[in-house]
Amino acid sequence: MPPRLQLFRSGRSIIVVSRASQQTQQPLCLRFSPRRNITADEKPLPTAENTESGPNESQLPHVSEEAAAMGKITGEGGPEIEQGTPVQEILKRDEESQEKAPKVMQQQVQSNSPNGTRSFSTLARRRQEAMVGFQEKGAETAGHSFDLPALPLAANLHLKYRYAPIVKQVTNLLMRDGKLSVAQRNMAMILNHLRTASPPTFNPERPLVPGSPPASHLPLNPILYLTLAIDSVAPLLRIRAQKGVIGGGASLQLPVPLSLRQRRRQAVMWILDAASKKPARGSGRGQFAQRVAEELVAIVEGRSGVWERRGGIHKLAVSARANLNVRGRR
């Protein structure tokens, strides 16, 4: 066992300090004595015996107040202080500012407008004039802020016919499973692609419809761009097979002319068929619309295979013209 520690026999003295004798330091923020503020109960500060204001303490009146006072004395009439000085009156006094002011304000200054009034009409005044005009209209337009439209309405003012006929027809042909909103979105993408695409290069071997605008004007009007592409490849005729005319169970091919809506429908079906056969460049809901737009640009430039289908139908229709004179068996 280790030897016990004998405190009284040790040669070194041990100083024991009690905790009560330790002095704690006061924080720095409390060392400074608080400031002595003057309150109402105490004696106020002394004031100067001379109550006259100094040379820098007197303020001159505002320019508008001085002009109003001078106008009141001379009887000419000055600006209205409560309303403010109009810009026209300030320009009348300063000729240099009139030369640099806009032409509209120069004309207002030259016009003889009453002094102290504004030349422009405020919103409250416009509403007041509208209410006066509304009261003068009578009972025919009661309950309407504006005049009623003239009847009958124009064709383009109807809600169902607000789009171009060809845009509506192509949108209906783009629709699948009754999803009109998806077809309208694809139609918007097609028109946007035609608008942002570079001007096409015409092919002399594949002429477009007569009266077509220059190539640089087509992106400015995407609906015209769409119409030109569809009408250029739209067939004029179709082949109708009529059975029992020549006997023997053979059918006779006869050319039948098409209307404008039928021609455009056949052309759009060809364009959609050619676009669906193109390989996809990526994924997304706008890929089909982009391929249709590229096919329309290829038609205008003469690079599409729809031209061959149109030419084949026309050749077959020309050769079938001889069957129009064939009479059926009695």
Side-chain angles (χ1 to χ4, degrees):
M1 294 179 62
R4 296 182 179 179
L5 180 61
Q6 297 180 1
L7 300 177
F8 297 100
R9 294 182 181 182
S10 60
R12 184 179 297 177
S13 62
I14 299 175
I15 302 174
V16 180
V17 181
S18 61
R19 299 183 62 182
S21 62
Q22 294 181 358
Q23 297 180 359
T24 58
Q25 295 183 359
Q26 189 178 8
L28 183 63
C29 59
L30 300 179
R31 294 180 185 179
F32 299 98
S33 60
R35 296 183 179 181
R36 186 171 177 272
N37 298 327
I38 298 176
T39 59
D41 299 336
E42 299 180 2
K43 185 178 179 180
L45 294 176
T47 57
E49 297 179 358
N50 188 10
T51 57
E52 297 180 0
S53 59
N56 296 332
E57 295 180 3
S58 60
Q59 298 181 358
L60 296 176
H62 195 266
V63 179
S64 301
E65 298 178 357
E66 186 177 356
M70 292 297 297
K72 186 177 181 180
I73 295 173
T74 57
E76 296 179 356
E80 297 181 4
I81 301 177
E82 297 180 357
Q83 187 178 5
T85 306
V87 182
Q88 290 80 2
E89 294 188 4
I90 299 176
L91 293 178
K92 285 181 180 179
R93 302 170 190 171
D94 193 355
E95 297 181 356
E96 296 181 0
S97 300
Q98 293 182 12
E99 298 177 357
K100 299 179 181 180
K103 294 184 179 180
V104 178
M105 300 189 67
Q106 293 179 4
Q107 296 175 0
Q108 293 178 356
V109 171
Q110 295 175 2
S111 62
N112 297 326
S113 60
N115 191 13
T117 59
R118 300 185 185 272
S119 59
F120 56 87
S121 60
T122 59
L123 179 61
R125 186 177 301 174
R126 292 178 183 176
R127 290 182 177 178
Q128 184 178 4
E129 293 176 357
M131 292 300 296
V132 172
F134 171 72
Q135 295 176 359
E136 294 177 354
K137 291 177 184 178
E140 296 181 358
T141 59
H144 301 277
S145 300
F146 303 96
D147 295 335
L148 296 177
L151 297 178
L153 295 175
N156 57 353
L157 295 180
H158 199 279
L159 179 64
K160 294 183 179 180
Y161 308 107
R162 62 186 183 275
Y163 301 117
I166 190 169
V167 173
K168 184 178 180 181
Q169 185 178 6
V170 175
T171 304
N172 293 335
L173 294 175
L174 285 172
M175 183 171 54
R176 293 292 181 271
D177 301 330
K179 299 179 180 179
L180 181 60
S181 60
V182 178
Q184 290 176 348
R185 182 183 61 201
N186 291 335
M187 191 69 233
M189 291 181 181
I190 292 171
L191 295 177
N192 187 36
H193 183 87
L194 297 179
R195 182 180 60 85
T196 56
S198 58
T201 303
F202 292 158
N203 188 1
E205 299 180 359
R206 302 285 174 79
L208 304 177
V209 292
S212 59
S216 59
H217 295 182
L218 292 180
L220 303 177
N221 192 348
I223 298 180
L224 178 62
Y225 201 159
L226 176 68
T227 307
L228 182 64
I230 293 176
D231 289 349
S232 298
V233 295
L236 300 176
L237 305 168
R238 72 179 181 89
I239 304 300
R240 179 172 61 89
Q242 187 172 359
K243 296 182 179 180
V245 179
I246 55 178
S251 60
L252 188 65
Q253 294 181 347
L254 299 176
V256 178
L258 299 176
S259 62
L260 178 60
R261 187 174 180 84
Q262 292 174 340
R263 294 175 58 239
R264 288 178 173 176
R265 184 186 184 280
Q266 186 62 45
V268 172
M269 296 304 295
W270 286 347
I271 293 172
L272 297 180
D273 187 21
S276 62
K277 294 179 181 179
K278 285 187 175 182
R281 298 182 179 179
S283 61
R285 59 185 182 182
Q287 291 297 321
F288 182 70
Q290 183 178 2
R291 286 179 294 183
V292 173
E294 292 175 355
E295 187 68 22
L296 292 171
V297 176
I299 288 173
V300 176
E301 294 181 350
R303 300 181 287 101
S304 176
V306 182
W307 287 98
E308 282 76 10
R309 301 187 67 171
R310 175 178 179 270
I313 290 293
H314 283 182
K315 289 180 180 180
L316 188 59
V318 170
S319 61
R321 287 187 302 177
N323 300 333
L324 295 175
N325 297 327
V326 176
R327 298 181 179 181
R329 296 182 59 182
R330 295 182 181 178

